[in-house]
Amino acid sequence: MPGQPDTPYLDALRAYAARKPGRFHVPGHKGGPGADPALRELFGDRVLELDIPALTYGIDVGEEPTPFQEAQRLAAEAWGARRTWWLVNGASQGNHVALLTLGHRGQHVVTQRNAHSSTIDALIMSGLRPAFVSPELDPELHIAHCMTPEALDRALGETPEAAGATVVSPTYFGAVADVAGLVEVAHAHGVPLIVDEAWGAHLAFHEDLPAPALSLGADLVISSTHKVVGSLTQSAMIHLGHGDLIEEGVVDRCVTLIESTSPNSLLLASLDAARRRAATRGRELLGETLAALEQTREAIREIPGLDVLDERLAGAPGVFDYDPVRLAIDVRGTRMSGYELARRLREEHDVLMELAGENVMVAVYGMGEDAAAASERLLAGLRGVIEAAGDDDQEGADVGFAPPPPWGELVMTPRDAFLGPQEVVAARDAVGRVAAESLAAYPPGIPNVLPGERLTAETLGYIEQTIAHGGSLRGASDRALRTLRVAVEG
Ligand SMILES: Cc1ncc(COP(=O)(O)O)c(C=O)c1O
């Protein structure tokens, strides 16, 4: 595509630094002189010279289209969006924007129960009342997959006032939802589908990968560009699809509502550069990554006790397709949990995993890194840990796994529960009260309780049992569940 080899924003930044203008504006480090010497030495003045504020003439104000506008137009073109906004607070900001946008359409939303915490936070920000849908649970791997179109159809049928629906695809573990089916269902109910594709920014750039959500008709897509596509940490994008269920002007206002008035120019420039690389070389680079990962998977399968997740997962409930750029390692055949294996990898080999769970560990590969060389290091570490463990009596934590009990009735919105009067009570006194915080027993990490829900004895018992069996609790202010924050009802 013409224009894709260009980087208008990056170039404008470079030209600014080369000019060495009189900097009588923020930031106070003034491109180096005002910074601590250690920072100057570590970063180099080059980085500091490029750190400039918004509203700089010739970059994001002045003759239109400005380099800032033109660069985002190129991003929209590369990902196939009607319009794209760069974000400087990650895909988390994307989820906040998405739900604030939906808040303009109504007061209810259908959302996946195991949505990322930023979606739960977005419920608090937007005041939307959620109707939750359970993802499909994998009874063997003890992980959650995606929401099915059938489940979405049921939920939208039961929530006719919903302003829209949000789903996650791909998951942390690489499972991809039937996005085309979900779009069809959402549109049949007259509402937009928002896809949290934080883990799928690369999908648009290789035909052997699962189709990206925008190409399947999703209305708004959240993309964490820094995760795989190589921009700087915290930089991300939100893409508007080609339907007419979501207003461009509303998304625009919601982006600025929650964004700093000083978005970091280094983050923005990294998005411009990552887009150029993905659009012009993504296919070739991802092809190399895919080939290297195929070999890595084979090599891992040969290590005693280890297996990998791959396209064999497609067809399982809630798994329409699989993203082969994710390396998820199934450790059930070892006598270690994923937590233990990851700990030994870190301590004995300085090899750090992205995520470790009871049965599965996830290694992330970036588009364009030398995946084959990276895999050598990972494989050496895995072989080392497994050999050293030998006949150890090491046993994986025996975490019982029963599907969690149904979540409690939502009696106030997450926003009202979070912002309203609250108190801390002993867990045994919490039954019947309304939660002011989240509780998610791991595995499988799906929230058992969210702010605004009535606490039941069944759910609290389930969480206690999971903790007693070696599982853990996320989201709670007291991770041992001795106490709980609850709402004071008027
Ligand atoms: C599904 C999902 N959505 C959103 C996010 C938030 O992304 P970020 O860290 O870019 O804010 C994550 C982070 O891991 C995620 O897994």
Side-chain angles (χ1 to χ4, degrees):
M1 280 183 270
Q4 292 298 334
D6 301 337
T7 45
Y9 184 84
L10 190 81
D11 293 349
L13 211 55
R14 183 190 285 123
Y16 169 95
R19 253 177 32 232
K20 297 203 180 302
R23 294 174 69 129
F24 295 96
H25 55 61
V26 294
H29 63 61
K30 301 294 171 115
D36 183 84
L39 191 73
R40 293 182 77 172
E41 194 231 329
L42 192 63
F43 281 14
D45 276 356
R46 187 85 181 125
V47 170
L48 296 166
E49 281 165 9
L50 295 170
D51 182 24
I52 61 156
L55 306 184
T56 298
Y57 192 85
I59 298 185
D60 57 351
V61 288
E63 203 178 313
E64 297 201 357
T66 62
F68 180 67
Q69 288 168 330
E70 179 57 9
Q72 286 181 97
R73 189 195 65 74
L74 287 170
E77 183 183 84
W79 269 274
R82 171 148 61 107
R83 181 162 170 196
T84 290
W85 290 261
W86 285 348
L87 307 174
V88 290
N89 195 24
S92 300
Q93 186 189 351
N95 279 324
H96 300 159
V97 169
L99 265 58
L100 287 169
T101 299
L102 274 194
H104 282 73
R105 288 180 49 94
Q107 286 159 9
H108 297 251
V109 60
V110 168
T111 190
Q112 197 164 326
R113 182 71 181 180
N114 60 329
H116 186 254
S117 57
S118 55
T119 296
I120 306 302
D121 294 345
L123 291 171
I124 292 170
M125 290 165 128
S126 65
L128 285 170
R129 182 175 283 271
F132 287 112
V133 179
S134 179
E136 298 299 318
L137 287 185
D138 193 312
E140 290 175 7
L141 293 167
H142 298 187
I143 60 177
H145 296 317
C146 304
M147 189 201 291
T148 62
E150 295 72 27
L152 179 63
D153 193 32
R154 261 193 313 277
L156 285 171
E158 288 163 8
T159 322
E161 62 279 53
T166 75
V167 299
V168 178
S169 177
T171 65
Y172 234 112
F173 303 97
V176 174
D178 178 4
V179 176
L182 291 162
V183 165
E184 198 181 320
V185 165
H187 290 179
H189 286 271
V191 297
L193 184 80
I194 294 170
V195 180
D196 179 351
E197 202 173 57
W199 282 105
H202 55 292
L203 298 181
F205 302 103
H206 200 289
E207 67 280 5
D208 290 346
L209 295 174
L214 272 176
S215 74
L216 300 171
D219 297 283
L220 200 56
V221 174
I222 290 111
S223 180
S224 199
T225 326
H226 67 88
K227 287 197 193 308
V228 175
V229 176
S231 59
L232 292 179
T233 295
Q234 221 177 311
S235 62
M237 301 192 194
I238 187 163
H239 305 293
L240 180 63
H242 292 276
D244 55 8
L245 291 168
I246 291 187
E247 262 185 74
E248 179 181 332
V250 173
V251 183
D252 194 49
R253 177 67 191 110
C254 293
V255 169
T256 50
L257 183 87
I258 52 168
E259 184 157 287
S260 165
T261 47
S262 309
N264 185 293
S265 56
L266 302 171
L267 298 181
L268 302 178
S270 81
L271 284 169
D272 203 18
R275 185 270 314 151
R276 188 245 304 265
R277 189 164 157 87
T280 58
R281 296 197 52 213
R283 188 173 178 279
E284 165 206 344
L285 296 172
L286 286 164
E288 287 166 17
T289 312
L290 288 172
L293 278 174
E294 202 175 315
Q295 289 187 354
T296 307
R297 286 195 171 84
E298 269 172 37
I300 291 177
R301 277 202 207 98
E302 280 164 20
I303 301 175
L306 295 182
D307 199 353
V308 288
L309 273 58
D310 56 22
E311 67 283 351
R312 290 171 298 169
L313 202 58
V319 188
F320 182 75
D321 207 343
Y322 190 76
D323 174 12
V325 172
R326 201 73 36 79
L327 180 62
I329 305 172
D330 176 353
V331 306
R332 283 175 300 160
T334 70
R335 287 185 297 164
M336 279 175 271
S337 66
Y339 305 112
E340 176 63 15
L341 223 160
R343 185 184 65 76
R344 292 189 184 204
L345 274 173
R346 174 171 52 80
E347 288 180 359
E348 294 163 21
H349 299 273
D350 202 12
V351 166
L352 312 178
M353 303 301 283
E354 169 69 21
L355 174 101
E358 185 58 29
N359 292 336
V360 185
M361 297 189 306
V362 178
V364 167
Y365 284 72
M367 185 191 80
E369 77 165 305
D370 184 344
S375 286
E376 286 301 311
R377 177 107 195 246
L378 175 63
L379 287 165
L382 288 169
R383 289 189 190 109
V385 169
I386 298 287
E387 272 163 30
D391 293 330
D392 272 12
D393 273 343
Q394 181 65 45
E395 298 270 349
D398 176 23
V399 181
F401 186 75
W407 48 83
E409 184 198 359
L410 188 80
V411 285
M412 54 176 88
T413 62
R415 180 184 178 87
D416 287 343
F418 184 83
L419 295 179
Q422 0 184 304
E423 61 180 331
V424 177
V425 298
R428 64 181 173 279
D429 298 329
V431 173
R433 303 292 302 269
V434 175
E437 62 183 340
S438 312
L439 307 176
Y442 205 97
I446 298 171
N448 304 96
V449 176
L450 287 171
E453 289 175 351
R454 183 87 63 202
L455 289 153
T456 65
E458 219 185 344
T459 290
L460 291 173
Y462 173 87
I463 297 172
E464 270 167 12
Q465 219 179 356
T466 308
I467 297 173
H469 280 88
S472 59
L473 180 61
R474 297 208 180 142
S477 49
D478 175 0
R479 289 189 169 214
L481 199 64
R482 284 174 301 247
T483 60
L484 260 164
R485 287 192 85 81
V486 296
V488 176
E489 291 170 85

